[in-house]
Amino acid sequence: MTSYEPDPRRWKALAVSLTAGFMGLLDVSIVNVALPSIQRDLGAGSGGIRWVVSGYALAFGLVLVTGGRLGDAFGRRKMFLGALAAFVVTSALAGAAPNETTLVVARLAQGVAAGMLTPQNTGLIQDLFRGPERGRAFGMFGAVVGISTAVGPILGGVILAVFGDPDGWRWVFYVNVPIGVLAFVLALRLLPRSGKREIRLRTEIDFVGILLLAVAVLGVLLPVVDADQGGIARMWWLFPIAVVFGAVFVRWEHRLVRHGRSPLLDTRLFTGTPGYATGAAVGALYFCGFAGIWLVFAMFFQQGLGYTPLQSGLSVTPFALGSAVAAAVAGRLVPRFGRRLTVTGLSLVAVGLLAVALLAQLVPASAAGWAFVVPLVVAGIGGGMVISPNTTLTLECVPVRMAGVAGGALQTGQRIGTAIGTAVLASVFGTVLVSSRDQQLALTVALCCAAFLTCGALVLAVAELRARRHRAQLSEHERDTRTAETSAADVQRG
């Protein structure tokens, strides 16, 4: 077993990788506030505009696991640099797009680049850090995941306010270019080189698994991301296809493991890695409730109350601030409190969302922005206590050789959760609004649904907390048994 010697540049390397990861995750939500400007400037139709957002999310989710596996096989540094360069180029192409078709194609390519880039963050953390430092590093990564989702509408609104129409929307993409170029230069200097080894593509890259998983994920995501245009009703038949391909994918991966070949997604992650399966499920279900509320708030504030995109973004800033502070602190507390952090955090999120839902019925619409501040801070603090610790605890027992694919699978669950949650909550909000003509009632019902999904994640987290205590008791019992056996042997020898 080789000794671990910490890389003296590891924290600087982490800062660079998280900056790049932040850009990729931010582009999931930052574009939402720019859609009306894009539509006016390019004369785009509603279908094309929808795919500016949906296409990115779809491509992002499709390649996460594959990106993680390629990073495990070819080296994190190579994959990180290649994906970052592609992200910068595709961001520039999206910003310079002369028409709707070019923009959609650029966004699809940008989503692929971001999906390849994101798993390298978790892989690099597994490579560079050990012990309590790894918990702190994963805490920072979890903060990036949560904050990037929450602040996207805010930053998008600021950029549009600064650059204005008609070309302000282009800077939503252009802003990635200078930041990405700087991150690339620093990554060349700071990211560690992996040892050279021969890669046998036919045996080490599971092309069949890549295809099977892509079809399964596509079958789930495609109807969901198109849900606001009746995608689920039109493409419901993709769900059973996704189930079939998912089952075939699992059997194929089992077969590769039995024959000693390298699978795309080692199924032992879910069966032989303590806490991984439940942690991934907690993350996916939490993102169902958490990520969908931003579109609901945007519709409520902008369509219902007439807020500008910037005002709408600033109205949810309390959540982002609470999440940022809590995530930074929670990452340091994981070794001490463990899964109790996520249980507490999920409880706070549910309480905060239910409080907003209640206040929406009690205060005048004109005072909603101010009335929601305190419960949004509470929910944000809870959110910061969920994502960072859950990421750390889910990946803590994953072998380093599977770090990239494990992080990719975890993120895939979160992307699917985001897509489903956004579609469900937006649909609930729209349905209630159409039937009642009451914006505040629609917000209340949608947030109650989000709280319900969060409580589902809470149930899973409590179950995992109990399982951890049970495993700890078994380990302690085994240690006591070995100690007793050793003492008995000593007595016999004496």
Side-chain angles (χ1 to χ4, degrees), residues 316-384:
V316 296
T317 300
F319 188 104
L321 293 176
S323 181
V325 174
V329 175
R332 298 173 181 269
L333 298 179
V334 172
R336 181 178 178 184
F337 295 104
R339 184 57 74 178
R340 283 176 291 174
L341 283 172
T342 53
V343 170
T344 304
L346 287 165
S347 301
L348 288 176
V349 173
V351 168
L353 293 180
L354 289 174
V356 174
L358 179 62
L359 286 171
Q361 294 299 301
L362 298 179
V363 302
S366 58
W370 291 106
F372 295 166
V373 169
V374 173
L376 282 177
V377 169
V378 172
I381 292 172

Coordinates of all heavy atoms in Angstrom, one line a residue, residues 316-384:
V316 N -35.1 35.9 -4.2 CA -34.7 34.6 -3.7 C -33.2 34.6 -3.2 O -32.7 33.5 -2.8 CB -34.9 33.5 -4.7 CG1 -36.4 33.3 -5.1 CG2 -34.1 33.8 -6.0
T317 N -32.6 35.7 -3.1 CA -31.2 35.8 -2.6 C -31.1 35.3 -1.2 O -30.1 34.7 -0.9 CB -30.7 37.3 -2.7 OG1 -30.7 37.7 -4.1 CG2 -29.3 37.4 -2.2
P318 N -32.1 35.5 -0.3 CA -31.9 35.0 1.1 C -31.6 33.5 1.1 O -30.8 33.1 1.9 CB -33.2 35.3 1.7 CG -33.7 36.5 1.0 CD -33.3 36.4 -0.4
F319 N -32.2 32.8 0.2 CA -31.9 31.3 0.2 C -30.5 31.1 -0.2 O -29.8 30.3 0.4 CB -32.9 30.6 -0.8 CG -32.8 29.1 -0.8 CD1 -33.8 28.4 -0.2 CD2 -31.7 28.4 -1.3 CE1 -33.7 27.0 -0.1 CE2 -31.6 27.1 -1.3 CZ -32.7 26.3 -0.7
A320 N -30.0 31.8 -1.2 CA -28.7 31.6 -1.7 C -27.6 32.0 -0.6 O -26.6 31.3 -0.4 CB -28.4 32.4 -3.0
L321 N -27.9 33.1 0.1 CA -27.0 33.5 1.1 C -26.9 32.5 2.3 O -25.9 32.1 2.8 CB -27.4 34.9 1.7 CG -27.2 36.0 0.7 CD1 -27.8 37.3 1.3 CD2 -25.8 36.2 0.3
G322 N -28.1 32.0 2.7 CA -28.2 31.0 3.8 C -27.5 29.7 3.4 O -26.7 29.1 4.2
S323 N -27.7 29.3 2.1 CA -27.1 28.1 1.6 C -25.6 28.2 1.6 O -24.8 27.3 1.9 CB -27.6 27.8 0.2 OG -27.1 26.6 -0.3
A324 N -25.0 29.4 1.1 CA -23.6 29.6 1.0 C -22.9 29.5 2.3 O -21.9 28.8 2.5 CB -23.3 30.9 0.4
V325 N -23.5 30.2 3.3 CA -22.9 30.1 4.7 C -22.9 28.7 5.3 O -21.9 28.2 5.8 CB -23.5 31.2 5.6 CG1 -23.0 31.1 7.0 CG2 -23.3 32.6 5.1
A326 N -24.1 28.1 5.2 CA -24.3 26.8 5.9 C -23.4 25.8 5.2 O -22.9 24.9 5.9 CB -25.8 26.4 5.8
A327 N -23.3 25.8 3.9 CA -22.5 24.8 3.2 C -21.0 24.9 3.6 O -20.4 23.8 3.8 CB -22.6 25.0 1.7
A328 N -20.5 26.1 3.7 CA -19.1 26.2 4.1 C -18.9 25.7 5.5 O -17.8 25.1 5.8 CB -18.7 27.7 4.0
V329 N -19.8 25.9 6.4 CA -19.7 25.5 7.8 C -19.9 24.0 7.9 O -19.2 23.2 8.5 CB -20.6 26.2 8.7 CG1 -20.6 25.7 10.1 CG2 -20.3 27.7 8.7
A330 N -21.0 23.5 7.2 CA -21.3 22.1 7.3 C -20.3 21.1 6.8 O -20.1 20.0 7.3 CB -22.6 21.8 6.5
G331 N -19.5 21.6 5.7 CA -18.4 20.7 5.2 C -17.4 20.4 6.3 O -16.8 19.3 6.3
R332 N -17.2 21.3 7.2 CA -16.2 21.1 8.3 C -16.8 20.2 9.4 O -16.0 19.7 10.2 CB -15.7 22.4 8.9 CG -15.0 23.3 7.8 CD -14.8 24.7 8.4 NE -14.1 25.5 7.4 CZ -12.8 25.7 7.3 NH1 -12.0 25.0 8.1 NH2 -12.3 26.5 6.4
L333 N -18.1 20.2 9.5 CA -18.7 19.5 10.6 C -19.1 18.0 10.3 O -19.6 17.3 11.2 CB -20.0 20.2 11.0 CG -19.8 21.6 11.6 CD1 -21.1 22.3 11.9 CD2 -18.9 21.6 12.8
V334 N -18.9 17.6 9.0 CA -19.3 16.2 8.7 C -18.6 15.2 9.5 O -19.3 14.2 10.0 CB -19.0 16.0 7.2 CG1 -19.2 14.5 6.8 CG2 -19.9 16.9 6.3
P335 N -17.3 15.2 9.8 CA -16.7 14.2 10.6 C -17.3 14.1 12.0 O -17.3 13.0 12.6 CB -15.2 14.6 10.6 CG -15.0 15.5 9.5 CD -16.3 16.2 9.3
R336 N -17.8 15.2 12.5 CA -18.3 15.2 13.9 C -19.8 14.7 13.9 O -20.2 13.9 14.8 CB -18.2 16.5 14.5 CG -18.7 16.6 15.9 CD -18.4 18.0 16.5 NE -18.9 18.2 17.8 CZ -18.9 19.3 18.5 NH1 -18.4 20.4 18.0 NH2 -19.4 19.3 19.7
F337 N -20.6 15.2 13.0 CA -22.1 15.0 13.1 C -22.6 14.0 12.0 O -23.7 13.5 12.2 CB -22.8 16.3 13.0 CG -22.6 17.2 14.1 CD1 -21.7 18.3 14.0 CD2 -23.1 17.0 15.4 CE1 -21.5 19.2 15.1 CE2 -22.9 17.9 16.5 CZ -22.1 19.0 16.3
G338 N -21.9 13.8 10.9 CA -22.2 12.8 9.9 C -23.6 13.1 9.4 O -24.0 14.2 9.0
R339 N -24.4 12.0 9.2 CA -25.7 12.0 8.6 C -26.7 12.9 9.3 O -27.7 13.3 8.8 CB -26.2 10.6 8.4 CG -27.5 10.4 7.7 CD -27.5 11.0 6.3 NE -26.7 10.3 5.3 CZ -26.5 10.6 4.1 NH1 -27.1 11.7 3.6 NH2 -25.8 9.8 3.2
R340 N -26.5 13.2 10.6 CA -27.4 14.0 11.4 C -27.5 15.4 10.7 O -28.5 16.1 10.8 CB -26.9 14.2 12.8 CG -27.2 13.0 13.7 CD -26.7 13.1 15.1 NE -25.2 13.1 15.1 CZ -24.5 13.3 16.1 NH1 -25.0 13.6 17.3 NH2 -23.2 13.2 16.1
L341 N -26.4 15.9 10.1 CA -26.5 17.2 9.4 C -27.5 17.2 8.3 O -28.3 18.1 8.1 CB -25.1 17.5 8.8 CG -24.0 18.0 9.8 CD1 -22.7 18.1 9.0 CD2 -24.4 19.3 10.3
T342 N -27.5 16.1 7.4 CA -28.5 16.1 6.4 C -29.9 16.0 6.9 O -30.9 16.5 6.3 CB -28.2 15.0 5.3 OG1 -28.1 13.7 6.1 CG2 -26.9 15.2 4.6
V343 N -30.1 15.2 7.9 CA -31.5 15.1 8.5 C -31.9 16.4 9.0 O -33.1 16.8 8.8 CB -31.4 14.0 9.7 CG1 -32.7 14.0 10.5 CG2 -31.2 12.6 9.1
T344 N -31.1 17.1 9.8 CA -31.4 18.5 10.2 C -31.7 19.4 9.1 O -32.6 20.2 9.1 CB -30.3 19.0 11.1 OG1 -30.0 18.1 12.2 CG2 -30.7 20.4 11.7
G345 N -30.8 19.4 8.1 CA -30.9 20.3 6.9 C -32.2 20.1 6.2 O -32.9 21.0 5.8
L346 N -32.6 18.8 5.9 CA -33.8 18.5 5.2 C -35.0 19.0 6.0 O -36.0 19.5 5.4 CB -33.9 17.0 4.9 CG -33.0 16.5 3.8 CD1 -32.9 15.0 3.9 CD2 -33.4 17.0 2.4
S347 N -35.0 18.8 7.3 CA -36.1 19.3 8.2 C -36.2 20.8 8.1 O -37.3 21.3 8.0 CB -35.8 18.9 9.6 OG -35.7 17.5 9.8
L348 N -35.1 21.6 8.1 CA -35.1 23.0 7.9 C -35.7 23.4 6.6 O -36.4 24.4 6.5 CB -33.8 23.6 8.2 CG -33.2 23.6 9.6 CD1 -31.8 24.1 9.6 CD2 -34.1 24.4 10.5
V349 N -35.3 22.7 5.5 CA -35.8 23.1 4.2 C -37.3 22.9 4.1 O -38.0 23.8 3.6 CB -35.1 22.2 3.1 CG1 -35.8 22.4 1.7 CG2 -33.6 22.5 3.0
A350 N -37.8 21.8 4.7 CA -39.2 21.5 4.6 C -40.0 22.6 5.4 O -41.0 23.1 5.0 CB -39.5 20.1 5.2
V351 N -39.5 22.9 6.6 CA -40.1 23.9 7.5 C -40.1 25.3 6.8 O -41.1 26.0 6.8 CB -39.4 24.0 8.8 CG1 -39.8 25.3 9.6 CG2 -39.6 22.8 9.7
G352 N -39.0 25.7 6.2 CA -38.9 26.9 5.5 C -39.8 27.0 4.3 O -40.5 28.1 4.1
L353 N -39.9 26.0 3.5 CA -40.9 26.0 2.4 C -42.3 26.1 2.8 O -43.1 26.8 2.2 CB -40.6 24.8 1.5 CG -39.3 24.7 0.7 CD1 -39.2 23.4 -0.1 CD2 -39.1 25.9 -0.2
L354 N -42.6 25.3 3.8 CA -44.0 25.3 4.3 C -44.4 26.7 4.9 O -45.5 27.2 4.8 CB -44.2 24.2 5.4 CG -44.2 22.8 4.9 CD1 -44.3 21.8 6.0 CD2 -45.4 22.6 3.9
A355 N -43.4 27.4 5.5 CA -43.6 28.7 6.1 C -43.9 29.7 5.0 O -44.8 30.6 5.1 CB -42.4 29.1 6.9
V356 N -43.1 29.6 3.9 CA -43.4 30.5 2.7 C -44.8 30.2 2.2 O -45.5 31.1 1.8 CB -42.3 30.3 1.6 CG1 -42.7 31.1 0.4 CG2 -40.9 30.7 2.1
A357 N -45.1 28.9 2.1 CA -46.5 28.5 1.5 C -47.6 29.1 2.4 O -48.6 29.6 1.9 CB -46.6 27.0 1.5
L358 N -47.4 29.1 3.7 CA -48.3 29.7 4.6 C -48.4 31.2 4.5 O -49.5 31.8 4.4 CB -48.0 29.3 6.1 CG -48.9 29.9 7.2 CD1 -50.4 29.3 7.0 CD2 -48.4 29.5 8.6
L359 N -47.2 31.9 4.5 CA -47.2 33.3 4.4 C -47.8 33.8 3.1 O -48.4 34.9 3.0 CB -45.8 33.8 4.5 CG -45.1 33.8 5.9 CD1 -43.7 34.1 5.8 CD2 -45.8 34.7 6.8
A360 N -47.7 33.0 2.0 CA -48.3 33.4 0.7 C -49.8 33.6 0.8 O -50.4 34.3 0.1 CB -48.0 32.4 -0.4
Q361 N -50.4 32.9 1.8 CA -51.9 33.0 2.0 C -52.2 34.1 3.0 O -53.3 34.6 3.1 CB -52.4 31.7 2.5 CG -52.3 30.6 1.5 CD -53.1 30.9 0.3 OE1 -54.3 31.1 0.3 NE2 -52.4 30.9 -0.9
L362 N -51.2 34.5 3.9 CA -51.5 35.4 5.0 C -51.2 36.9 4.7 O -51.7 37.8 5.3 CB -50.8 35.0 6.2 CG -51.2 33.6 6.8 CD1 -50.4 33.3 8.0 CD2 -52.7 33.6 7.1
V363 N -50.2 37.1 3.8 CA -49.7 38.5 3.6 C -50.2 39.0 2.2 O -50.4 38.2 1.3 CB -48.2 38.6 3.7 CG1 -47.7 38.2 5.0 CG2 -47.5 37.8 2.5
P364 N -50.3 40.3 2.0 CA -50.7 40.8 0.7 C -49.6 40.5 -0.3 O -48.4 40.4 0.0 CB -50.8 42.3 0.9 CG -50.9 42.5 2.4 CD -50.2 41.4 3.0
A365 N -50.0 40.3 -1.6 CA -49.0 40.0 -2.6 C -47.9 41.1 -2.7 O -46.8 40.7 -3.0 CB -49.8 39.9 -4.0
S366 N -48.3 42.3 -2.5 CA -47.3 43.4 -2.6 C -46.2 43.3 -1.6 O -45.1 43.8 -1.8 CB -48.0 44.8 -2.5 OG -48.7 44.8 -1.2
A367 N -46.4 42.6 -0.5 CA -45.5 42.5 0.6 C -44.8 41.1 0.6 O -44.0 40.8 1.5 CB -46.1 42.7 2.0
A368 N -45.0 40.3 -0.4 CA -44.5 38.9 -0.4 C -43.0 38.8 -0.4 O -42.4 38.0 0.3 CB -45.1 38.2 -1.7
G369 N -42.4 39.7 -1.2 CA -40.9 39.7 -1.3 C -40.2 39.8 0.0 O -39.3 39.1 0.4
W370 N -40.7 40.8 0.8 CA -40.1 41.0 2.1 C -40.6 39.9 3.1 O -39.8 39.5 4.0 CB -40.5 42.4 2.7 CG -39.8 43.5 1.9 CD1 -40.4 44.3 1.0 CD2 -38.5 43.8 2.0 NE1 -39.5 45.2 0.5 CE2 -38.3 44.9 1.1 CE3 -37.4 43.3 2.7 CZ2 -37.0 45.5 0.9 CZ3 -36.1 43.9 2.5 CH2 -36.0 45.0 1.7
A371 N -41.8 39.5 3.0 CA -42.3 38.5 4.0 C -41.6 37.1 3.9 O -41.5 36.4 4.9 CB -43.8 38.3 3.8
F372 N -41.1 36.8 2.7 CA -40.5 35.5 2.5 C -39.0 35.5 2.9 O -38.4 34.4 2.9 CB -40.6 35.1 1.0 CG -42.0 34.9 0.5 CD1 -42.2 34.9 -0.9 CD2 -43.0 34.8 1.3 CE1 -43.5 34.7 -1.4 CE2 -44.3 34.6 0.8 CZ -44.5 34.6 -0.5
V373 N -38.5 36.6 3.3 CA -37.0 36.6 3.6 C -36.6 35.6 4.6 O -35.7 34.8 4.4 CB -36.6 38.1 4.0 CG1 -35.1 38.1 4.5 CG2 -36.7 39.0 2.8
V374 N -37.2 35.7 5.8 CA -36.8 34.9 6.9 C -36.9 33.4 6.6 O -36.0 32.6 6.8 CB -37.5 35.2 8.2 CG1 -37.1 34.3 9.4 CG2 -37.1 36.7 8.7
P375 N -38.1 32.9 6.2 CA -38.2 31.5 5.9 C -37.3 31.0 4.8 O -36.9 29.9 4.8 CB -39.7 31.3 5.5 CG -40.2 32.7 5.2 CD -39.4 33.6 6.1
L376 N -37.0 31.9 3.8 CA -36.1 31.5 2.7 C -34.7 31.4 3.3 O -33.9 30.5 2.9 CB -36.1 32.5 1.6 CG -37.3 32.4 0.6 CD1 -37.2 33.5 -0.4 CD2 -37.3 31.1 -0.1
V377 N -34.3 32.2 4.3 CA -33.0 32.1 4.9 C -32.9 30.7 5.6 O -31.9 30.0 5.6 CB -32.7 33.2 5.9 CG1 -31.5 32.9 6.7 CG2 -32.5 34.5 5.1
V378 N -34.0 30.4 6.4 CA -34.1 29.1 7.1 C -33.9 27.9 6.1 O -33.1 27.0 6.3 CB -35.4 29.0 7.9 CG1 -35.5 27.6 8.4 CG2 -35.4 30.0 9.0
A379 N -34.7 28.0 5.0 CA -34.6 26.9 4.0 C -33.2 26.9 3.4 O -32.7 25.8 3.1 CB -35.7 27.2 2.9
G380 N -32.6 28.1 3.1 CA -31.3 28.1 2.6 C -30.2 27.5 3.5 O -29.4 26.7 3.1
I381 N -30.3 27.8 4.8 CA -29.4 27.2 5.7 C -29.6 25.7 5.7 O -28.6 24.9 5.7 CB -29.7 27.8 7.2 CG1 -29.3 29.2 7.2 CG2 -28.9 27.0 8.2 CD1 -29.7 29.9 8.5
G382 N -30.8 25.2 5.7 CA -31.0 23.8 5.6 C -30.5 23.2 4.3 O -29.8 22.1 4.3
G383 N -30.7 23.9 3.2 CA -30.1 23.4 1.9 C -28.6 23.3 1.9 O -28.0 22.3 1.4
G384 N -27.9 24.2 2.6 CA -26.5 24.2 2.7 C -26.0 23.0 3.5 O -24.9 22.5 3.4

